[in-house]
Amino acid sequence: MTTTTAVSTGPAPELPFFVYGTLRPGEPNHALFLRGRTRREEPARLGDAVLYDGPGYPYAVEEPGGVVTGDLVTALPEAYGSLLAELDRLEEYRPGDPRNLYERVAREVVLSGDGRRVRAWLYLAAPPVAARLRTRGGRIESGDWRGRGARGEEG
C-alpha cells in the first residue's frame, strides 16, 4: 500500500523530488530551477495518482490504480536547501496554509529503468483543488504531461 505523508513544521528530510510537469527535463521550469543543481534525473512513475490539466501546468490527484509518469530528480547536496525553498515558492506551498493549491508530500515512486522504489517529495493537488478537478477538470488520460493531447471528456 502506498502511503502519503503530509509535511509538518520542522526540518524536511532530504528526499529526491518526483516531478511530472513543467519541472521535468526539457520543460521550461527545469531550466529555471533545476539545471546545474541535480546529481541525477531518472524516469519514474507514481502509482495511485492521475493527472489533470491546470492552466499551463498539471495537477497530480490521488486515485487508486492511476499512474503518473515523471522523473525522479536528486539534488546536489549543496543545492538542496535552497532548491526545496524555491520549489515550495514556485508551487505556492506553505505548510498548513488552507489556501495552498498543492501540498508537498512524501510518496514512494518506482524508477522506470530498474523498478526500484524510492521515497520522494512531490506536489499533489491540495484537497479542495483535487475535489474541484475530479468534478470539473480535464483529466490527462495518458498520465504523462508530455502526452497531454490525450484527455478525457470529464468536465
Side-chain angles (χ1 to χ4, degrees), residues 40-109:
R40 251 184 335 275
E41 298 172 357
E42 306 167 86
R45 296 177 315 279
L46 169 67
D48 293 330
V50 295
L51 278 187
Y52 284 89
D53 200 3
Y57 45 87
Y59 285 97
V61 174
E62 293 183 298
E63 183 176 302
V67 177
V68 172
T69 300
D71 294 278
L72 184 71
V73 175
T74 303
L76 291 170
E78 62 273 18
Y80 189 86
S82 62
L83 182 58
L84 179 65
E86 288 176 37
L87 294 180
D88 280 354
R89 274 192 300 279
L90 172 69
E91 305 297 1
E92 298 180 34
Y93 167 72
R94 288 174 279 312
D97 189 333
R99 298 167 298 179
N100 285 339
L101 297 178
Y102 291 96
E103 292 294 329
R104 178 167 36 91
V105 298
R107 289 279 301 270
E108 190 175 82
V109 299

Side-chain angles (χ1 to χ4, degrees), residues 15-39:
L15 300 175
F17 300 91
F18 177 76
V19 296
Y20 54 84
T22 65
L23 286 164
R24 290 183 73 186
E27 296 293 331
N29 281 332
H30 182 275
L32 292 172
F33 292 92
L34 297 172
R35 185 176 293 144
R37 299 169 82 183
T38 65
R39 178 187 301 173

